[in-house]
């Protein structure tokens, strides 16, 4: 048993089965049901005419929804099976006999609703089929204008084609409101839509040219002026195919010769770049080539780029043809705007070169500045890493860094290296230090020793601040205290030999003999005085140096041993 083929363009959809279940003669009955549900025109109608009514599905819907005892008339070329309370006529709606038969049935009545669901036998040629259908709708309108009452309704089916807007313009001259809709029962792949006209104006006199197809559907060109009109933000309606081939491919030369490039782009699908010279032009980029492959999918930005590309190529071709007697591209004349743009481009070329040089210099300066910032950042990160490492090793406390490389560092080696006096001290020359002590201002140093004159000044200031009783009490207490001897700073030569007093608050952790032995080994191990003791100096100088060394080891001499070299 073989497979069953599809019947009638796969018409067995849900509306087909619903029509069979509900008893309607065609699935198009649901189109009228959905139109009536949206506009509500059958409930108030007393007389209705259905043109091209076979097989009678719309007549069944009208008899069901219209009031009782309403007049319903159906007309078609083929006979219609009888329907209760419905008058059927077999006639051509474009003929005068059909018009007289309808008037005979209506008598003194006027129709409230006129329906037209007619369509020609399609399949030969789309353009021919679309024109035949629009012509049939125009004839139905002429018949409706003879039968409709003032304020009546006219519903017709139209194929979306090039003549669709012309028919809408004619309908708007006869009705107050004209709206287009597509019911759900209509197949999405079908080009049909339904035009619902409300409020028939019933003019006293009608121009016969409105119903003449040659005048009504005359081709009037309305070129697109701007790209915004060519590309709309609204979603375009499916209004069928336009006249001519669906896919048009033209050459680049034809695009350059076009008088109205925007309208020209609206009609073509692809631009073939067949000229090698124009293809190698700097303006012909890869993006332009991709845009030329499919014009229909381009947006406003891409279309404007194509128009700008066209202007550049036209200027290039015109400039090339000026120096040649014959060119490969002829018939291109620049407009005044394009000539102005060409001269402006030449002037701007030099400015662009200068701007490029300035931009290059600015880029170099920015690169150098960025490199300097990177170096500073690298040094800062290095310092931070060192600080974190010292913190981890517990060499520094939080917020206190001993390893300070700045100028305020207490142990900065950089400041020591720059100071000449410290360099001389590091080499062991103490003559400069003695000169500072003997001739310098004692108040300049970190330690200042007060003399007797300063003490007298302190007593005068103290007497001025205290009362006589308090001052006498302070002096009595001073007499009871042990007398302290104030002395000026002395040099090594003036140091007393019997001074063997040490600070009682300082306690040594090792024995005195061990400390003396350690100091002896330390100084003799460094060999500081080896050159001094074995030199050819006087015997008296050797004796003095040996005496100073012995006193230093025994703890009686407090000055640094390195000062011995100054003798």
């Amino acid at each position: 048993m073989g497979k069953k083929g599809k019947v009638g363009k796969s018409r067995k959809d849900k509306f087909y089965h619903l029509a069979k279940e509900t008893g309607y003669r065609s699935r198009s009955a649901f189109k009228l049901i959905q139109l009536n549900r949206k506009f509500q025109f059958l409930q108030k109608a007393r007389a209705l005419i259905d043109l091209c009514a076979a097989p009678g599905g719309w007549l069944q819907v009208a008899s069901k929804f219209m009031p009782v005892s309403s007049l319903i008339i159906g007309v078609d070329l083929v006979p219609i099976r009888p329907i209760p309370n419905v008058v059927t006529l077999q006639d051509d709606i474009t003929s005068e006999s059909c018009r007289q038969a309808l008037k005979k049935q209506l008598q003194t009545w006027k129709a409230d609703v006129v329906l037209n669901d007619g369509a020609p036998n399609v399949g030969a040629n789309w353009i021919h089929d679309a024109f035949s259908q629009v012509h049939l709708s125009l004839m139905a309108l002429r018949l409706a204008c003879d039968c409709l009452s003032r304020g009546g309704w006219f519903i017709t089916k139209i194929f979306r084609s090039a003549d669709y807007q012309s028919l809408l313009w004619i309908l708007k001259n006869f009705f107050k409101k004209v709206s287009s809709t597509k019911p759900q029962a209509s197949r999405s792949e079908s080009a049909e839509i339904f035009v619902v006209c409300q409020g028939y104006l019933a003019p006293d006199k009608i121009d016969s040219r409105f119903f003449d197809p040659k005048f009504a559907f005359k081709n009037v060109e309305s070129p697109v002026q701007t790209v915004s009109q060519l590309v709309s933000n609204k979603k375009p309606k499916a209004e069928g195919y336009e006249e001519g081939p669906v896919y048009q491919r033209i050459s680049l030369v034809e695009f350059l010769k076009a008088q109205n490039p925007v309208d020209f782009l609206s009609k073509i699908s692809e631009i073939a770049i067949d000229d090698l010279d124009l293809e190698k032009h700097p303006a012909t980029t890869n993006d332009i080539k991709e845009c030329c492959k499919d014009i229909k999918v381009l947006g406003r930005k891409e279309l404007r780029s194509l128009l700008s590309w066209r202007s550049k190529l036209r200027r290039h071709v015109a400039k090339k043809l000026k120096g040649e007697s014959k060119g490969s591209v002829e018939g291109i004349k620049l407009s005044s705007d394009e000539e102005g743009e060409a001269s402006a481009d030449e002037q701007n070329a030099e400015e662009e070169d200068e701007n490029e040089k300035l931009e290059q210099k600015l880029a170099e300066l920015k690169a150098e500045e960025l490199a300097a910032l990177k170096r500073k950042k690298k040094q800062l990160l290095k310092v931070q890493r060192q600080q974190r490492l010292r913190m981890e090793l517990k060499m520094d406390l939080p917020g206190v860094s001993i390893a300070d490389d700045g100028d305020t560092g207490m142990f900065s080696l950089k400041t020591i290296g720059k100071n000449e006096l410290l360099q001389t001290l590091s080499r062991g020359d103490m003559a400069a230090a003695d000169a500072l002590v003997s001739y310098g201002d004692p108040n300049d140093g970190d330690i200042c020793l007060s003399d007797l004159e300063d003490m007298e000044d302190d007593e005068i200031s103290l007497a001025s601040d205290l009362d006589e009783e308090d001052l006498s009490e302070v002096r009595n207490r001073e007499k009871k205290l042990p007398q302290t001897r104030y002395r000026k700073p002395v040099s090594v030569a003036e140091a007393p030999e019997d001074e063997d007093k040490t600070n009682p608050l300082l306690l040594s952790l090792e024995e005195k003999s061990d400390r003396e032995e350690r100091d002896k080994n330390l100084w003799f191990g460094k060999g500081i005085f080896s050159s001094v003791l074995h030199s050819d100096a006087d015997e008296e100088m050797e004796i003095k140096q040996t005496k100073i060394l012995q006193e230093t080891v025994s703890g009686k001499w407090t000055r640094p041993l390195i000062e011995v070299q100054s003798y």
Side-chain angles (χ1 to χ4, degrees), residues 382-392 396 401 403:
K382 182 178 179 181
V383 172
Q384 291 178 355
R385 285 195 301 268
Q386 292 177 354
Q387 290 178 355
R388 286 197 299 269
L389 181 60
R390 294 181 67 86
M391 292 289 293
E392 291 175 359
D396 292 337
S401 178

Side-chain angles (χ1 to χ4, degrees), residues 9 87 168 175:
K9 295 183 181 179
V87 179
L168 285 182
F175 295 91

Side-chain angles (χ1 to χ4, degrees), residues 35 137 221 321 445 464:
L35 289 172
S137 300
E221 295 184 359
L321 292 178
S464 61

Side-chain angles (χ1 to χ4, degrees), residues 365-411:
L365 293 175
K366 288 182 179 179
E368 293 177 358
E369 184 178 359
L370 183 61
L373 291 175
K374 287 183 178 180
R375 287 194 297 270
K376 291 181 180 179
K377 184 177 180 182
K378 188 176 180 181
Q379 294 176 358
L380 181 61
L381 293 176
K382 182 178 179 181
V383 172
Q384 291 178 355
R385 285 195 301 268
Q386 292 177 354
Q387 290 178 355
R388 286 197 299 269
L389 181 60
R390 294 181 67 86
M391 292 289 293
E392 291 175 359
L393 297 176
K394 297 182 180 180
M395 299 174 66
D396 292 337
L397 297 176
V400 179
S401 178
I402 298 176
D404 189 0
D405 294 336
D407 295 337
T408 60
M410 185 181 297
F411 301 100

